[in-house]
Amino acid sequence: MKDVTDLHEEFDGDRLPPGQRETSSFPVLSKGETPSVPTDPALEVWGAVDEERSMRLGELRRLGAERQRQDFHCVTGWSRLGCVFEGLPFPTLADHVGARSEATHVLFHAHDGYTTDLPLSTCLREEVLLTWALDGEPIPADHGGPLRAVTPHKYAYKGSKWLSGVEFLTEREPGYWERRGYSGTANPWNEERYG
Ligand SMILES: Nc1nc2c(c(=O)[nH]1)N[C@H]1C(S)=C(S)[C@@H](COP(=O)(O)O)O[C@H]1N2
Ligand SMILES: [Mo]
């Protein structure tokens, strides 16, 4: 299993970012109710790519499932260390659909209407996973199952739960919390909480 709990070193910080406290529970943080999502939803991938695709979980698994040990930092101040997620690394997805050279940003879309944006370069990292399993079990519905994204190098609002789509963009389009004052860059070791 790949262990990326040392990625804080790249950001010149401690494992627990400043202003965070460790929790052993896994709180649920959603903007609203847990939406009802099909058990095997199609993930739509579109925008600045060579081949737009609609992919189900089985296809994502076959493309390249990987297990990683990762930390999870919520912008409201709690961190859950050492989560084990299984999923598809974002770079493999980007390769598969052929992200075009003019693609600069990504907007993640979700079944509850949530969106979140990131520069493409910060998504093209092995630890950005589209994940279907947490600690050896399918991701619970409250935590974004059956499919969510995780971004251990960013505050967790960059990881969309109940993922429905990945849109490749040629310019930035701010997501749900980013439009409401949260940071676009969201680096926990720099306490980039507000935009
Ligand atoms: N679709 C969707 N994704 C979301 C959210 C949301 O409300 N809807 N909340 C975000 C926030 S603010 C955080 S901290 C994490 C929380 O994930 P958890 O509920 O599994 O702890 O999900 C992020 N992804
Ligand atoms: Mo959050």
Side-chain angles (χ1 to χ4, degrees):
M1 175 174 18
K2 196 168 283 177
D3 189 324
V4 299
T5 58
D6 60 356
L7 65 80
H8 57 92
E9 290 169 8
E10 178 187 340
F11 299 97
D12 293 323
D14 296 333
R15 183 161 177 197
L16 194 64
Q20 297 292 110
R21 62 191 176 279
E22 185 181 352
T23 171
S24 52
S25 69
F26 200 160
V28 169
L29 235 147
S30 308
K31 70 177 179 65
E33 301 285 296
T34 293
S36 76
V37 179
T39 44
D40 191 8
L43 177 74
E44 307 294 336
V45 187
W46 77 96
V49 294
D50 289 335
E51 207 167 333
E52 298 191 336
R53 287 187 184 262
S54 175
M55 302 168 70
R56 294 190 189 275
L57 280 181
E59 204 179 333
L60 297 175
R61 273 180 205 278
R62 284 192 297 276
L63 255 189
E66 198 171 281
R67 274 201 318 148
Q68 294 187 9
R69 189 178 302 281
Q70 309 193 337
D71 297 337
F72 189 100
H73 309 295
C74 175
V75 71
T76 61
W78 54 267
S79 293
R80 186 182 193 252
L81 304 183
C83 310
V84 175
F85 287 109
E86 182 185 316
L88 175 72
F90 191 94
T92 310
L93 178 79
D95 258 9
H96 185 66
V97 297
R100 296 222 196 105
S101 56
E102 65 266 29
T104 55
H105 288 79
V106 175
L107 190 64
F108 294 88
H109 296 258
H111 288 281
D112 61 342
Y114 189 78
T115 52
T116 185
D117 68 278
L118 277 174
L120 176 59
S121 58
T122 66
C123 291
L124 292 176
R125 296 174 56 105
E126 59 172 3
E127 73 272 14
V128 176
L129 294 179
L130 311 188
T131 169
W132 49 80
L134 162 66
D135 297 340
E137 301 288 338
I139 303 218
D142 285 349
H143 286 298
L147 183 68
R148 76 170 297 167
V150 284
T151 56
H153 61 322
K154 300 289 183 188
Y155 286 121
Y157 64 88
K158 294 293 185 179
S160 180
K161 306 200 279 188
W162 313 298
L163 204 55
S164 61
V166 178
E167 182 179 6
F168 287 77
L169 296 166
T170 56
E171 57 184 39
R172 181 177 180 222
E173 206 175 295
Y176 180 89
W177 282 124
E178 292 86 355
R179 287 196 303 269
R180 288 163 177 79
Y182 283 88
S183 167
T185 49
N187 174 355
W189 293 278
N190 221 9
E191 285 204 77
E192 294 163 1
R193 297 176 196 269
Y194 307 104

